[in-house]
Amino acid sequence: MTTRLNPITTPRHELRAEKARRNKEAGLAAFIGKKAEIDEMLARLQALSDDHFNCHPDDVGWAMVGTLEHYASLLKRITDSAFGEGEHAE
């Protein structure tokens, strides 16, 4: 637990530094939380892919191809953004 600085007795530069430190900690916590969300989604997608997207080979048809095409296009948007490719290329 951290103690808060008294705004009446603490110099302004110390107050600003403390606020910046708390803001940085909050940003790091938010980043780690979002990364954990992404890691969980990626693990679920990998497990689904490992199970052939719950599609038995005898049941494969063009509808499933269309579904996978849709998934691939959504993932491509993400990877293009993350790696600066496609429409996100500089």
Side-chain angles (χ1 to χ4, degrees):
M1 184 168 141
T2 60
T3 58
R4 297 199 67 150
L5 300 176
N6 183 335
I8 296 172
T9 60
T10 305
R12 277 193 177 163
H13 70 281
E14 287 182 32
L15 291 172
R16 285 192 300 271
E18 176 64 17
K19 184 176 180 180
R21 185 191 62 74
R22 284 193 317 267
N23 189 43
K24 185 173 183 175
E25 286 177 1
L28 177 59
F31 177 88
I32 290 170
K34 288 297 170 188
K35 183 190 176 307
E37 282 183 48
I38 291 171
D39 289 346
E40 182 180 340
M41 287 186 272
L42 290 172
R44 290 179 69 208
L45 282 171
Q46 184 62 58
L48 188 63
S49 177
D50 290 346
D51 196 29
H52 299 90
F53 294 90
N54 296 325
C55 188
H56 188 274
D58 293 339
D59 299 330
V60 172
W62 286 110
M64 191 59 190
V65 174
T67 298
L68 290 181
E69 174 64 32
H70 179 67
Y71 293 168
S73 70
L74 294 173
L75 288 170
K76 179 148 180 38
R77 289 177 58 195
I78 293 168
T79 57
D80 282 355
S81 177
F83 298 109
E85 299 168 344
E87 67 181 55
H88 299 279
E90 292 182 22

